[in-house]
Amino acid sequence: MAKALFLVASLLLYILSLSSLAAATQRLDLVGNYKPIENIDDPKIQSLGEFAVNEHNKKAKTQLHFQRVISGEMQIVAGTNYNLRLTALEGTSSRTYGTLVFTDLNNKNNLINFFSVSN
């Protein structure tokens, strides 16, 4: 009887450890890895692109005009990194730019990088 109880308890512990491992793996999958942004037309994503262009204009003293975010991916860290591709007008020419915007845990946006992808 005691041996059977021990086997049942061991089996239950084994099953619980497997489910804990699966849950931990799912959490790790959410944190740290870049994931594609599925709804690129989300107003929040578009406003991050506009923020990036406006901040770049202030720092570089340029006059780019934001058009739209065309693609991107996000990474959850202690906040969120948004790696975005966007289009903006430079004069009358539409150009593609890459940008990295970090949103901290207080929802404050910070422009990390901004660069031209096309001429």
Side-chain angles (χ1 to χ4, degrees):
M1 178 73 173
K3 189 174 184 179
L5 188 56
F6 175 76
L7 287 174
V8 169
S10 296
L11 182 60
L12 284 173
L13 285 174
Y14 177 73
I15 291 170
L16 286 173
S17 68
L18 286 180
S19 65
S20 295
L21 179 61
T25 302
Q26 283 181 321
R27 283 192 301 275
L28 287 176
D29 192 38
L30 294 175
V31 177
N33 294 326
Y34 273 97
K35 300 288 182 195
I37 296 171
E38 294 185 15
N39 183 7
I40 208 67
D41 295 320
D42 182 331
K44 177 182 177 180
I45 300 303
Q46 293 299 316
S47 70
L48 287 169
E50 186 171 17
F51 166 82
V53 169
N54 291 338
E55 287 298 300
H56 174 73
N57 282 339
K58 289 177 196 172
K59 292 178 181 180
K61 302 202 183 325
T62 57
Q63 294 184 358
L64 300 177
H65 297 282
F66 173 74
Q67 289 181 294
R68 70 183 311 269
V69 174
I70 55 175
S71 66
E73 53 188 8
M74 59 189 283
Q75 176 190 39
I76 299 173
V77 288
T80 307
N81 284 317
Y82 294 92
N83 184 8
L84 306 174
R85 290 287 183 265
L86 58 87
T87 57
L89 287 175
E90 183 176 350
T92 58
S93 299
S94 181
R95 301 186 191 260
T96 304
Y97 297 90
T99 188
L100 180 62
V101 176
F102 174 70
T103 302
D104 67 20
L105 296 174
N106 295 318
N107 287 321
K108 182 176 185 255
N109 297 325
N110 300 285
L111 181 63
I112 306 300
N113 196 5
F114 193 95
F115 55 94
S116 177
V117 175
S118 68
N119 295 342

